[in-house]
Amino acid sequence: MVLDNLGESLRGALKKIANAGFVDPALIKDVTRDIQRALIQSDVNVKLVLELSKRIEKRALEEKPAAGASNREHVIRIVHDELVRLLGPQREVQLKKQTIMMVGLYGQGKTTTTGKLAKYFTTKGLKVALIAADVHRPAAMDQLEQLAKQVNVPVHIERGEKDAVKIVRNGLAEFRPRYDIIIVDTAGRHKLDDDLIEEMKEIFKAAQPDEKFLVIDAAVGQQGGPQAKAFHDAVQVTGVIVTKLDGTAKGGGAMSAVAATQAPIVFIGTGEHLDEMEKFDATRFISRLLGMGDLQSLLEKAQEAVEGEEGDAEAMARKIMTGKFTLNDMYAQMEMLGKMGPLKKVLGMLPGGMGAKMKDADIEKQQVQLKRFRVMMDSMTEEELENPGLIKSSRINRIARGAGVEPKDVKELINYYNKSKAMMKQFAGNRRMQKKLMQQLDFGGGGFPGG
Ligand code: GDP
Ligand code: MG
C-alpha cells in the first residue's frame, strides 16, 4: 500500500482553495493550518513549518495576484513556491574525484541507483568503479555485477566474505589510485535496527566518503523522516535520492527526509532501467506532490463556470441591488449555484453566509430540491411567479394539486423564497457588501475581498 499522507493532506488543503467560492482571510488561515498539520505530522521540523506557514499567510494576504490570475490561483501558487523553498537550494553532484557511499533500507533502490550513478558519471567522462559491500543478501553481489557489466565498469566483489568493512578497505585499495568515482553499495534491512546502523558507521569510518547518498522509495510515507534521521546520525547524509517516482507514490516522505537531514534531493529514479534517473527539479517535484495538474483543471472548471454566466450574474447582481427578487430570480440563483457560478460568491458574502460553507453535498441536495421547485413553479401563473406574496391558502392548494404534491411542499417553497428574499434585502441595504460583490464579480476592479 502506498502511504503518502503528506501529499494527500497537502492536496486536500489546496483543493479547499480550488473549490472555494472566493478566497478570504479565514480560508487562508484554515488552509495554512491544514498545511502546518500535514507537515508536522510528517516529521518536518516544527520551526521550519511555522516559518513556512507564516510566510504563506503573509504573502497570501499582502501580495496581489499576477495579472490575469485569480485569487485562488494566487494562493495556490504561493503555497507551491514556499514548499519548493522548504526543499532548500538546488544542488548538483560535482564532477570530480570522489568516493560515494549509498545508504538506505532494503529494497529502496540502492543497488539500482548505484548502477545509474555509474552510468551517469561514465557519460560525463569520469572513470567509475564499484564496491559490493552488501554481505547480507547473497544475490546482491550478482545484481551489482550485472549492472557493472551493463555500464562497463569494474566492480570489487568478495563472495563469501562476511565482513563488509574488509571488502570496502580492499576495494578502495584496489581502485583509489586509478579511478575518479568509487561508489560503495551497502546492505539494507527490512527495518531500521542497531546492527545496520553500526555497520554503516564502520563502513563510513573506513571509506571516508565525500558523498553519502540516502536512497528512499517515493512510497516511504511518514517513516521517511525517522529513517532519514537515523542514517543521518550515523553517516551525515549529504544528498537524498528518491526512487520509483515513476509509480503512483508522490514522494511526500521524501520531504520529511530532506527536512530531517537538511540534505537536498540530488536525483530522482523514474524507472528500473539505468538511464531512468533525472536530476532533481524541486518545482516539478512539488507540482507533482500537490497534484498541480488536477488543481489546474479544477481551477479552469471554476473559471469556465464564472465566464459562462458573467451576463446572467451581472443581471442578477443588478436585480439584487434594486431589492427586487422574484421566485424566478430565486430559481435562477439556485440553478447557478449548482454550476459553481458567481452567485455562490454572492451568497458567501451574505450575513449568515448561506453559500460560504456550502459543500458539494449541499449543492447536490439543493439541485434535487430545485427539480421539485420547478414542478411546482410550472403550476404557478406568471403573476404568482413575479409576485409570490399573492400565494395564499387557496392558491397553495391549487398549485399543489397541479404539481401533484402536498400543500406543505408548496409552503416549503414559499418559506425558502421568503428566507432568500430577506437575505437579499439585507444585502441590498448594505453598501459595503455591495461594493465587495462588485469587486468579486470584477465589475469594479479586482482586489482582495475584505481587504
Ligand atoms: P536495494 O535493496 O536498496 O539495493 O534496492 P534495489 O536496487 O535492489 O531495488 C529494489 C527494486 O526496486 C528492484 O526491483 C528495482 O528494479 C526497483 N527499482 C529501483 N529503482 C527504481 C525506480 O526508480 N523505479 C522503479 N519502477 N523501480 C525501481
Ligand atoms: Mg541492494
Side-chain angles (χ1 to χ4, degrees):
M1 197 190 74
V2 173
L3 280 174
D4 201 346
N5 297 332
L6 177 59
E8 260 161 45
S9 317
L10 291 175
R11 286 192 292 280
L14 291 192
K15 268 194 195 133
K16 270 191 192 172
I17 300 177
N19 282 323
F22 68 104
V23 178
D24 69 356
L27 177 71
I28 290 173
K29 224 181 191 82
D30 184 29
V31 169
T32 311
R33 213 168 292 141
D34 285 353
I35 293 170
Q36 237 174 38
R37 203 176 304 128
L39 291 169
I40 288 173
Q41 273 172 5
S42 299
D43 290 318
V44 178
N45 180 289
V46 176
K47 190 168 152 271
L48 289 177
V49 173
L50 292 180
E51 281 168 14
L52 171 121
S53 44
K54 246 187 236 147
R55 261 203 313 271
I56 291 177
E57 216 175 318
K58 188 167 156 37
R59 289 186 56 191
L61 290 172
E62 289 177 2
E63 290 176 18
K64 290 251 170 289
S70 67
N71 281 331
R72 280 176 296 204
E73 284 169 300
H74 177 56
V75 176
I76 288 172
R77 179 54 54 195
I78 288 172
V79 172
H80 177 276
D81 290 353
E82 290 298 333
L83 288 170
V84 169
R85 187 212 283 256
L86 184 70
L87 285 173
Q90 213 93 341
R91 215 212 103 189
E92 291 194 15
V93 291
Q94 287 184 287
L95 300 176
K96 57 156 204 186
K97 206 171 159 80
Q98 59 184 313
T99 304
I100 298 172
M101 176 178 177
M102 311 295 284
V103 299
L105 288 187
Y106 174 76
Q108 304 286 298
K110 288 181 300 301
T111 306
T112 310
T113 307
T114 301
K116 289 176 177 178
L117 286 171
K119 176 152 191 191
Y120 175 79
F121 285 113
T122 304
T123 57
K124 299 286 176 191
L126 291 158
K127 284 178 72 186
V128 182
L130 309 178
I131 299 176
D134 181 352
V135 294
H136 295 269
R137 228 165 37 92
M141 295 188 176
D142 301 337
Q143 185 191 354
L144 192 65
E145 192 172 39
Q146 277 292 321
L147 291 168
K149 207 178 268 169
Q150 284 181 50
V151 191
N152 200 17
V153 299
V155 55
H156 180 86
I157 288 178
E158 296 181 38
R159 273 178 237 280
E161 176 57 64
K162 284 288 158 209
D163 183 351
V165 178
K166 203 169 142 196
I167 296 175
V168 170
R169 281 212 185 90
N170 291 339
L172 288 171
E174 180 184 347
F175 294 136
R176 257 197 184 141
R178 292 177 292 125
Y179 289 87
D180 303 315
I181 308 280
I182 301 171
I183 310 176
V184 183
D185 182 29
T186 67
R189 300 286 189 280
H190 283 289
K191 58 184 180 42
L192 274 175
D193 61 23
D194 297 344
D195 165 48
L196 171 67
I197 292 302
E198 200 45 48
E199 186 175 305
M200 291 307 114
K201 279 185 184 163
E202 281 176 23
I203 294 177
F204 171 72
K205 256 191 276 170
Q208 298 288 314
D210 305 276
E211 294 275 20
K212 285 82 61 175
F213 286 153
L214 172 70
V215 180
I216 48 172
D217 186 325
V220 66
Q222 283 185 44
Q223 306 96 348
Q227 261 182 40
K229 190 172 179 326
F231 282 110
H232 188 51
D233 289 346
V235 306
Q236 287 124 56
V237 170
T238 54
V240 176
I241 298 178
V242 185
T243 61
K244 307 185 196 181
L245 271 168
D246 48 311
T248 53
K250 305 274 192 288
M255 296 264 312
S256 318
V258 171
T261 57
Q262 296 287 299
I265 302 174
V266 279
F267 287 106
I268 59 168
T270 55
E272 299 193 13
H273 296 288
L274 286 179
D275 47 9
E276 288 172 319
M277 182 176 79
E278 296 169 20
K279 278 189 193 162
F280 177 66
D281 177 335
T283 301
R284 262 171 65 193
F285 181 80
I286 293 294
S287 297
R288 179 189 154 96
L289 181 70
L290 297 182
M292 289 301 272
D294 295 342
L295 283 172
Q296 204 57 44
S297 60
L298 255 181
L299 287 168
E300 275 159 20
K301 212 170 104 201
Q303 190 57 32
E304 274 165 24
V306 171
E307 276 163 8
E309 285 148 24
E310 211 96 280
D312 297 351
E314 183 168 354
M316 179 66 71
R318 302 232 176 273
K319 240 182 186 160
I320 291 168
M321 297 300 165
T322 65
K324 191 162 158 32
F325 184 71
T326 69
L327 257 175
N328 281 328
D329 295 335
M330 181 193 81
Y331 186 86
Q333 183 197 88
M334 287 174 74
E335 215 172 22
M336 273 202 258
L337 249 168
K339 288 189 262 175
M340 273 176 78
L343 254 292
K344 190 176 173 189
K345 292 180 191 171
V346 177
L347 293 181
M349 279 183 286
L350 292 171
M354 89 189 231
K357 298 278 181 297
M358 202 161 241
K359 297 189 197 75
D360 289 351
D362 294 337
I363 291 181
E364 242 165 64
K365 224 159 68 191
Q366 218 193 20
Q367 293 308 298
V368 173
Q369 203 175 28
L370 194 61
K371 276 197 195 124
R372 290 180 44 231
F373 285 178
R374 180 76 266 167
V375 176
M376 292 184 249
M377 286 169 68
D378 284 343
S379 290
M380 293 177 189
T381 64
E382 204 47 47
E383 197 190 10
E384 286 164 347
L385 287 171
E386 283 298 310
N387 189 3
L390 293 172
I391 305 175
K392 296 274 151 53
S393 63
S394 70
R395 289 184 191 240
I396 288 177
N397 290 334
R398 191 208 79 234
I399 294 164
R401 263 199 316 278
V405 299
E406 299 292 318
K408 72 167 172 40
D409 296 322
V410 182
K411 282 180 195 154
E412 188 196 334
L413 165 60
I414 303 297
N415 273 340
Y416 190 94
Y417 162 76
N418 284 333
K419 266 195 231 153
S420 309
K421 186 178 173 174
M423 262 194 263
M424 289 303 151
K425 250 206 180 116
Q426 218 174 336
F427 182 81
N430 188 328
R431 289 196 162 278
R432 199 176 63 85
M433 267 200 291
Q434 288 176 12
K435 215 174 121 206
K436 273 202 327 198
L437 166 67
M438 284 323 214
Q439 282 174 352
Q440 270 296 317
L441 296 175
D442 274 339
F443 301 151
F448 201 83

